Amino acid sequence: MLFTPKGSFIFNRLTLSMDQERYNAREAEPKWQKIWEDAALFQTGNGDSRPKYYVLEMFPYPSGRIHMGHVRNYTMGDVIARYKRAKGFGVLHPMGWDAFGMPAENAAMQNKSHPAEWTYANIATMRAQLKSMGLSLDWSREIATCDVAYYRHEQRLFLDLLDHGFAYRKQSKVNWDPVDCTVLANEQVIDGRGWRSGALVEQRELTQWFLKIGAFADDLLSGLDTLTRWPEKVRLMQANWIGRSEGLLVRFALAPVQTSQESDSVSDAVSEVEVYTTRPDTLFGAKFIAIAADHPLAAACAENNPELADFIAECRRMGTSVAVLETAEKKGYDTGLRVHHPFDENWLLPVYVANFVLMDYGTGAIFGCPAHDQRDLDFANAYGLGNQPVVCPPDQDPATFVITDKAYDGDGTLIHSRFLDGMTIPAAKEAVAKRLEEQTLGNAPQAQRKINFRLRDWGISRQRYWGCPIPIIHCEDCGIVPVPRADLPVVLPKDVSFDEPGNPLDRHPTWKYVACPQCGKAARRETDTMDTFVDSSWYFTRFTDPWNAGDPTTPEAIAHWLPVDQYIGGIEHAILHLLYARFFTRAMQATGQMGEVREPFAGLFTQGMVVHETYRDKAGAWVNPGQLRFETQGNERRAFLLDSGEEVAIGPIEKMSKSKRNTVDPDEIISTYGADTARWFVLTGSPPERDVIWTEEGVQGASKFVQRLWRLVGELMQAAGSEEPAEPAVFGPAASAIRKASHGALIKVESDIERLHFNTAIATIHDLANKLSASIGAIESEEIGADVRFACREAASILIRLFAPMMPHLAEECWAAASFAGLAAQMPWPDADPSLVVEDEMTLPVQVNGRKRADLTIAREASEAEIQAAAAALEAVQKALEGKPVKKIIVVPRRIVNVVA
RNA sequence: GCGGGCGUGGCGGAACUGGUAGACGCGCCGGACUCAAAAUCCGGUUCUGGUGACAGAGUGUCGGUUCGAUUCCGACCGCCCGCACCA
């Protein structure tokens, strides 16, 4: 007898290594990793003729060690890569390092070493960690952005962008991070603080390099519609960030002023104020004009008005902190200037300098319509300017409709607006635009239609050492001179010091002094380096041909591999990285480096974080879970310190962070349980886009399941015998049940992985294991015929391949132990036979008035009438009807029967 | 304030276009094996009532559409995320 009645297995010592009762991950994992590597299994050449599939996970910053978030991110990518490979695709699955950035400089300051040393040491550590995870990566394509071999091409791309007018220099107000001593892009300022340092950002006036992302604002917006495999949320966030608005530029003529001599001199020099508005329909509700503190007109008025100058200075001070802006009151200062209403020469509007008007949006000037804009209303109420409703809501009487402290911005009909009265808002907008376009002020139309964007151009200058040098030379005679392409790369000097603040490149004794390439005179190099987001804006294209030494990209490789079919990363890059990469794709297309590719990432997936409970001792100090012992009583859990026995408080579940001491080290997990257990865990429990809670019980559960699969495959192969039988013509009930379970699970897992529902794919594999265990446990040895042997062998072969993308090492060990040919990693995805899942009879739930009362088992081919008759005849149905007559019986084929009384 | 998302057992979650709510896992309870423990295996586990077959309630709350609603619509409550003087 092969099986004991309870199904526990007696191992046959003759069957290969299956006599091991336990699967030893620590031995097996490095063994298979080496076999894969020696066979160069995951290297994909550019001449591959299979249909292509490009899987990419956001490459990591080499901060020191990988964390659980990396494990989750890269496991998901690896499941897809391995699955697609099994499905017959030529899979490109590369890895690299986002290796420039501030932390390396901070480390250099602390350790008195060089950023390169720290960075490359971290890369070596993290590469080894990633390799221990058993990822199917093509390491032959590895890149690090801090390698000259990479950033030389970035300098070339910069020069291409410069030639095409996509890079330019301008003086502007910038976000200055006083801790990192560098400039930040708007996207890098979060709640008024630097995204890395957390320092309150200040405004400074500096000359900076900009990339013209604004040139593609419209295209970046409309392109979002084509990204159907992106999360709706990310597309929406980008659309809001780009912030397109359609409006009108309207010029208001300045009226001569009698009251104030100072203002009078201004109105002599300047004749008009131009405003930008998206609500030209409310022009007859206008009560004032407001200009920004930085508006040239404000500066002109302030020249002879110290009080106004003070007010402007106050506005500027406030502008340095977003936190203050949020709570700031609407404040203004009357310049004394007046303008004529465009439709009525006798109607004068006061011109205020206002703290809520921004110079860098629109024209830095607005007209205020208090009745229909809350901000304008707050201002008007503060300065007693009154309001005039000009849009009447549908349910209000125009005669009595008034606004007091809540502006109305909804739909309605125009009132008190002369020639606009009775119009809808869109009609009124059109009418105003048309009339003002035809009307002239000076010698030009008084108004002009204008589409505006919130998106600002991307400032890329950083006053840091550890970044890609901007290949520019400043010559006193020739001005800005690009480094000739033949002289590239501009290499970072090695001999730099970090013992004082500021930019080491700037204070290097020799590096910046060069001869001007044009006139040969003494000149200086640009000492700013590029924002590290430039590095990550094109790395996905470099992966397609990282061996090309002469050019950043290779047209054939781009055409073959791009776009990335599935990109995986954190939601935190929804705007920053993902928008920049989309911009670079367009800009590089314009410079001829991107072929016909319009969007870099056809499919995007944003995975959730790995979170963990937090613990605090009596003193309130955070405690690491490794120091704790847990007790459970019923549904209550308590935690105690291992050494002292002191009880600690179990706190909320939060993102793993060193400061809260709730991190779990991947290395420890891998050395204790193996990579497969870690990989399995991060996919289980919650859907991939949601956070997953790390628990010790969960890891142990995953580890137990690894062992269970190992035993189950052994049992299946024991039943299957060592000889591979031909497929029998007839299968008995036991064999049929096994085949039905295997093929049913296969169909489900396949569709789950295709939809990236890894958690339900795993549930299905659990379910299959349960079913197979039950089947095998129920079979007596004398029943094992050719059909059962065939079904068990088939089940083992399917089962192993189903979990192979998630637990590749265990799959190889099982595959080999089962004496199947080749490597599991090379096996094609099994073909499902849907006919095996179909049953002759089906069981339909039967409802009475929408409530389930019975089950009806009936032939699959039964007609609707037969089903109706059989359902009505059921005892439970009759009972539930309580004698009431049946009105109708609804039959939804293969789904349900509902008897309506 | 604006925009978006989410509320399902003790817990994580499942339920594809409206069709058996609670798959699968964790935890818990009971049992087998064992001198004992671990490991493993078997059974139970939404709530209420009943020894029981069974009956009633049930997917944040209230209403609507439908033969039928976790799923669609409306209002409200709660939580999470993004943006925020953008004219």
Side-chain angles (χ1 to χ4, degrees), chain A residues 55-238:
Chain A
V55 192
L56 186 64
E57 300 96 61
M58 288 181 186
F59 65 165
Y61 178 78
S63 56
R65 303 177 64 74
I66 64 167
H67 51 71
M68 277 302 168
H70 291 125
V71 173
R72 195 164 188 224
N73 188 188
Y74 298 131
T75 299
M76 287 177 187
D78 201 46
V79 170
I80 297 165
R82 285 176 179 271
Y83 168 77
K84 287 290 178 183
R85 196 184 309 278
K87 285 293 255 179
F89 289 89
V91 174
L92 176 59
H93 188 209
M95 181 54 71
W97 310 96
D98 190 10
F100 272 140
M102 276 300 293
E105 288 191 50
N106 293 335
M109 280 175 227
Q110 272 173 24
N111 311 333
K112 303 247 181 280
S113 66
H114 192 273
E117 229 172 274
W118 183 84
T119 304
Y120 283 104
N122 287 348
I123 286 176
T125 306
M126 291 171 73
R127 186 194 297 115
Q129 287 185 298
L130 291 184
K131 286 193 173 181
S132 78
M133 283 179 61
L135 303 169
S136 64
L137 290 165
D138 181 354
W139 285 103
S140 73
R141 293 174 186 257
E142 180 181 358
I143 55 179
T145 58
C146 65
D147 277 347
V148 185
Y150 183 84
Y151 74 70
R152 66 184 302 162
H153 298 297
E154 194 163 305
Q155 293 176 340
R156 156 76 184 283
L157 289 176
F158 179 86
L159 295 180
D160 288 353
L161 293 176
L162 189 66
D163 286 348
H164 284 77
F166 295 132
Y168 66 99
R169 229 164 92 94
K170 75 168 180 197
Q171 189 179 14
S172 78
K173 238 195 204 175
V174 293
N175 306 302
W176 178 261
D177 184 322
V179 168
D180 282 354
C181 292
T182 188
V183 160
L184 298 176
N186 292 333
E187 291 81 359
Q188 290 165 333
V189 180
I190 294 146
D191 294 334
R193 290 170 184 274
W195 70 297
R196 276 218 120 108
S197 69
L200 277 174
V201 166
E202 299 166 6
Q203 304 295 311
R204 284 204 185 174
E205 196 82 21
L206 284 175
T207 303
Q208 298 279 298
W209 283 98
F210 284 84
L211 296 185
K212 222 181 244 178
I213 190 169
F216 296 96
D218 236 339
D219 195 45
L220 286 167
L221 184 67
S222 59
L224 290 173
D225 293 337
T226 68
L227 299 174
T228 51
R229 291 202 296 121
W230 277 42
E232 191 59 45
K233 181 184 169 73
V234 175
R235 290 195 281 168
L236 196 73
M237 281 167 70
Q238 290 209 355

Side-chain angles (χ1 to χ4, degrees), chain A residues 659-672:
Chain A
S659 61
K660 295 201 171 134
R661 306 204 63 197
N662 64 339
T663 56
V664 174
D665 181 19
D667 263 1
E668 252 174 63
I669 298 299
I670 289 170
S671 64
T672 312

Side-chain angles (χ1 to χ4, degrees), chain A residues 22 630 669 672-673 677-678 680-681 694-708 766:
Chain A
R22 286 187 68 77
F630 293 90
I669 298 299
T672 312
Y673 298 98
T677 297
W680 190 256
F681 180 88
W694 188 275
T695 63
E696 188 57 27
E697 292 83 3
V699 183
Q700 276 168 9
S703 174
K704 281 180 196 171
F705 192 63
V706 167
Q707 298 300 336
R708 185 162 167 227
H766 265 286

Side-chain angles (χ1 to χ4, degrees), chain A residues 340-647:
Chain A
H340 296 289
H341 192 281
F343 290 127
D344 186 343
E345 201 161 326
N346 300 318
W347 182 349
L348 291 179
L349 295 164
V351 178
Y352 279 76
V353 174
N355 65 351
F356 64 87
V357 179
L358 307 173
M359 190 58 220
D360 57 359
Y361 187 82
T363 60
I366 62 160
F367 83 79
C369 175
H372 303 292
D373 182 301
Q374 191 58 45
R375 185 197 49 193
D376 294 347
L377 184 65
D378 293 346
F379 187 79
N381 286 347
Y383 292 92
L385 300 171
N387 75 73
Q388 171 63 62
V390 288
V391 176
C392 186
D395 57 345
Q396 292 275 335
D397 179 2
T400 56
F401 181 56
V402 287
I403 296 285
T404 51
D405 58 2
K406 202 156 163 56
Y408 178 73
D409 61 1
D411 224 345
T413 309
L414 272 286
I415 53 170
H416 308 305
S417 294
R418 306 189 189 180
F419 68 97
L420 302 175
D421 282 350
M423 288 187 190
T424 62
I425 292 172
K429 281 182 179 172
E430 182 57 33
V432 169
K434 212 163 166 224
R435 197 176 281 211
L436 287 181
E437 276 173 332
E438 283 162 8
Q439 194 167 308
T440 55
L441 178 65
N443 284 320
Q446 188 152 15
Q448 189 188 337
R449 290 173 211 250
K450 175 85 196 288
I451 291 165
N452 235 328
F453 294 94
R454 205 186 78 109
L455 181 68
R456 303 265 78 89
D457 277 345
W458 176 16
I460 59 155
S461 297
R462 295 292 180 274
Q463 293 67 43
R464 304 308 321 164
Y465 166 78
W466 197 232
C468 174
I470 296 172
I472 291 292
I473 290 163
H474 299 276
C475 171
E476 277 192 20
D477 291 352
C478 309
I480 290 162
V481 183
V483 173
R485 283 170 169 73
D487 295 353
L488 293 180
V490 177
V491 180
L492 288 168
K494 292 229 165 64
D495 51 334
V496 282
S497 64
F498 293 91
D499 34 27
E500 48 187 306
N503 184 353
L505 283 181
D506 199 35
R507 61 168 182 264
H508 189 277
T510 56
W511 185 79
K512 69 176 170 182
Y513 302 106
V514 285
C516 170
Q518 270 175 28
C519 68
K521 268 181 62 178
R524 286 176 301 103
R525 285 191 190 284
E526 170 73 56
T527 58
D528 285 354
T529 51
M530 295 185 212
D531 182 2
T532 56
F533 277 100
V534 177
D535 312 338
S536 54
S537 290
W538 68 285
Y539 80 109
F540 54 92
T541 68
R542 186 66 191 167
F543 275 138
T544 64
D545 187 3
W547 306 285
N548 187 341
D551 287 293
T553 63
T554 308
E556 301 78 47
I558 294 258
H560 182 249
W561 290 115
L562 290 180
V564 174
D565 295 278
Q566 186 63 59
Y567 197 41
I568 309 174
I571 185 80
E572 67 273 19
H573 291 105
I575 290 172
L576 285 161
H577 164 55
L578 291 168
L579 190 60
Y580 294 149
R582 295 182 64 225
F583 157 63
F584 249 75
T585 303
R586 285 160 172 77
M588 285 173 72
Q589 191 185 46
T591 64
Q593 291 283 357
M594 196 54 93
E596 296 302 306
V597 181
R598 296 203 56 75
E599 288 288 348
F601 314 121
L604 172 71
F605 186 82
T606 55
Q607 97 278 2
M609 295 183 297
V610 182
V611 294
H612 195 288
E613 260 181 350
T614 51
Y615 314 96
R616 298 182 100 151
D617 65 15
K618 274 186 195 137
W622 301 103
V623 179
N624 186 275
Q627 301 166 259
L628 298 173
R629 169 177 64 80
F630 293 90
E631 274 180 23
T632 37
Q633 269 195 328
N635 292 323
E636 216 177 312
R637 276 174 77 242
R638 299 167 73 186
F640 302 89
L641 281 174
L642 275 174
D643 47 6
S644 70
E646 181 201 316
E647 179 162 11

Side-chain angles (χ1 to χ4, degrees), chain A residues 745-757:
Chain A
L746 173 53
I747 292 166
K748 177 78 164 59
V749 169
E750 184 168 337
S751 88
D752 284 344
I753 294 181
E754 290 283 353
R755 292 181 301 154
L756 310 178
H757 289 192

Side-chain angles (χ1 to χ4, degrees), chain A residues 682-694:
Chain A
V682 293
L683 298 171
T684 327
S686 48
E689 68 278 5
R690 237 183 275 179
D691 293 347
V692 65
I693 304 166
W694 188 275

